[in-house]
Amino acid sequence: MADSGFSIPADWNRKGLPGWTYFSEELFELERDELFRKHWQYACHVSEVAEPGQYVALNVADERGFVIRGADGVIRAFHNLCRHRGSRIVTEEKGVCQSAIICPFHGWSYNLDGSLRGIARSDAFPELKREEWGLKPLEMEIWQGLVFCRFIPGPQPALADILRPVSEEVKPYRIDGMQIAEEFPHEEHLPVNWKCVRDVDNEGYHVRQAHPGLHDLYGGDYRDETITEWISRSEGRFNPGKGNLWSVRHYREHLPNPAHLPERSRNAWIYIGVFPNFVLGLYPDSAIYYQEIPLAPERTLQRGATFKYKNESRELKAARYLSGRIDRIASNEDRLLAVWSVEAIKSSAYSGVVFSDLEYGLAAYHDQLRKLLPVLANAGEPPRGRLREFNDAMKEANVRGE
């Protein structure tokens, strides 16, 4: 049976978030400002910017950024805005700039390190100091080959500090030496609030019933735990036997014994969640990530990819294909559950939820949301135009201990 994997308080909030929080336009804008602009966002893997001039764009909450490797080999991140008129300076999701980054609007050019290189028709401008007109840098950290950016400084500490409790466990997977498996990147638009997706993903109570493939693989020993307010961890240890379903049975047959991993990690799928919207999956054959980007109160972009080992054997590639197959089926099942959840909230019969002990990880996630956005504890939606005012007042009251 699934286990929470950590101590659960005797008295805790089993109610979840009120229904209005999944549809409010004003709350959605506040969440984008306070959660997605001010918290670390995954941008890319280092292999995607392996050569000088290679870049990957990141668009979150009306913010535009990009990560690029300079001519000096250093990876940097910038706001994707030309200093002249604010045009996108790189226009594709991925690409290569040769010796310079050139604005497609008026032709201003920047070196690969972001410094201003040239101004088209500079004689038409007053004298500008080049050192003051380079691209604006983005806060960026690289952790074990994963590049994260933050658009505005916020409540989270340095990324390395956030992930320190799991660093030693993740290190043997050698993610920094992996590369994107091009056959498995995905993007999907979901007709639900981003929190609906997180609500489904943040508990393992539903694995037994909703995910036959995952339950066949590891449902007998699945554990969730909240490590800190910023990260969670889930572990599914493989069941005894070869499995009953085709994908699971053949996955277990093809999976090599990866000598670079500790013995405990060779027969388990492990998931590391980074608040508010990123999950890293660690498998004996590969690694994955998925991430939700809020687009509208009832529209979410979910993106993800598989990381593969370079020079993988045929046996390892077959195992990776099968783990990906199991994963894709489970992802489709989760998306349907998210849609059903939001449908329920709209029903006249809906009267809220009650969490089991096996869903404490989700409750802890909601607690963190309420800590950052106290208005989420309001049973009803504040009057139109006053949500931010209510949130600020509740935050001040919390600081005063009222």
Side-chain angles (χ1 to χ4, degrees):
M1 183 175 181
D3 185 356
S4 64
F6 60 99
S7 178
I8 297 176
D11 185 24
W12 52 281
N13 188 346
R14 296 177 182 266
K15 293 183 178 180
L17 302 178
W20 69 268
T21 64
Y22 295 87
F23 308 107
S24 168
E25 183 73 44
E26 289 182 54
L27 176 63
F28 175 76
E29 294 300 330
L30 182 62
E31 289 172 339
R32 297 212 304 172
D33 289 347
E34 298 298 323
L35 298 179
F36 291 90
R37 286 175 164 164
K38 293 183 178 180
H39 289 71
W40 292 104
Q41 295 295 313
Y42 172 75
C44 66
H45 186 270
V46 291
S47 65
E48 297 177 87
V49 287
E51 301 298 328
Q54 277 191 297
Y55 70 82
V56 174
L58 173 66
N59 301 318
V60 179
D62 288 337
E63 296 282 4
R64 306 195 309 255
F66 69 102
V67 176
I68 189 169
R69 188 180 290 270
D72 55 2
V74 176
I75 297 174
R76 300 177 178 85
F78 301 99
H79 288 271
N80 190 9
L81 285 86
C82 179
R83 296 300 306 282
H84 170 218
R85 291 272 296 277
S87 169
R88 293 186 182 214
I89 196 74
V90 298
T91 59
E92 304 296 329
E93 291 184 5
K94 297 182 179 182
V96 180
C97 298
Q98 297 302 326
S99 59
I101 310 166
I102 301 175
C103 177
F105 197 175
H106 295 96
W108 279 40
S109 62
Y110 301 85
N111 295 308
L112 300 183
D113 64 3
S115 59
L116 180 63
R117 180 169 181 159
I119 299 174
R121 291 295 308 274
S122 60
D123 58 312
F125 290 87
E127 184 177 352
L128 300 176
K129 295 181 179 180
R130 289 179 180 269
E131 62 272 18
E132 296 177 0
W133 289 90
L135 297 176
K136 291 190 175 182
L138 263 182
E139 190 174 5
M140 184 198 79
E141 284 195 45
I142 301 175
W143 181 80
Q144 301 203 29
L146 306 178
V147 183
F148 287 78
C149 297
R150 181 161 56 178
F151 290 98
I152 300 173
Q156 285 182 313
L159 186 71
D161 292 336
I162 291 174
L163 290 166
R164 185 165 288 115
V166 296
S167 286
E168 289 306 310
E169 179 177 36
V170 175
K171 190 178 298 181
Y173 289 87
R174 305 171 185 170
I175 297 174
D176 55 347
M178 291 183 175
Q179 60 190 33
I180 296 289
E182 293 298 337
E183 63 267 36
F184 283 144
H186 76 265
E187 287 192 353
E188 182 165 354
H189 288 80
L190 306 177
V192 298
N193 184 273
W194 69 273
K195 294 189 295 298
C196 289
V197 186
R198 290 287 86 232
D199 286 357
V200 171
D201 194 58
N202 273 319
E203 51 89 359
Y205 178 37
H206 70 284
V207 169
R208 177 183 295 272
Q209 182 66 32
H211 297 313
L214 296 185
H215 185 64
D216 193 32
L217 179 63
Y218 58 59
D221 187 4
Y222 183 83
R223 300 167 66 87
D224 292 320
E225 60 181 318
T226 298
I227 296 179
T228 71
E229 60 188 337
W230 305 119
I231 56 172
S232 61
R233 180 184 180 278
S234 301
E235 177 182 322
R237 300 200 57 73
F238 294 171
N239 299 327
K242 296 182 178 180
N244 298 312
L245 300 179
W246 185 92
S247 293
V248 174
R249 187 170 65 254
H250 284 80
Y251 175 60
R252 297 291 300 274
E253 289 175 357
H254 284 86
L255 185 62
N257 186 28
H260 63 283
L261 294 180
E263 181 125 7
R264 182 175 179 83
S265 301
R266 298 177 192 178
N267 291 286
W269 283 11
I270 299 167
Y271 302 90
I272 308 296
V274 182
F275 187 90
N277 64 324
F278 176 82
V279 176
L280 172 67
L282 304 168
Y283 302 164
D285 53 281
S286 59
I288 67 164
Y289 88 89
Y290 49 95
Q291 172 188 37
E292 288 78 44
I293 307 296
L295 301 178
E298 295 184 66
R299 193 159 58 92
T300 300
L301 171 66
Q302 186 177 61
R303 69 184 193 120
T306 298
F307 305 120
K308 68 177 182 179
Y309 290 102
K310 296 177 181 177
N311 304 317
E312 63 182 355
S313 66
R314 291 179 63 184
E315 188 178 31
L316 187 60
K317 184 176 182 179
R320 176 170 61 80
Y321 168 80
L322 291 163
S323 67
R325 191 173 190 273
I326 298 168
D327 240 341
R328 288 193 299 279
I329 293 171
S331 295
N332 290 335
E333 292 161 346
D334 274 343
R335 291 180 191 114
L336 188 57
L337 294 174
V339 171
W340 288 348
S341 296
V342 78
E343 285 177 349
I345 298 172
K346 293 180 178 180
S347 169
S348 60
Y350 184 77
S351 56
V353 302
V354 56
F355 291 145
S356 71
D357 288 350
L358 298 177
E359 296 163 288
Y360 181 74
L362 172 55
Y365 182 83
H366 283 186
D367 286 343
Q368 180 65 0
L369 288 174
R370 283 186 286 256
K371 178 181 176 182
L372 295 168
L373 300 175
V375 72
L376 290 170
N378 238 42
E381 185 174 6
R384 184 178 295 274
R386 298 188 61 191
L387 186 141
R388 287 179 185 265
E389 175 188 337
F390 268 62
N391 188 70
D392 290 343
M394 294 176 74
K395 186 177 290 187
E396 291 176 9
N398 289 345
V399 171
R400 294 195 300 267
E402 297 177 2

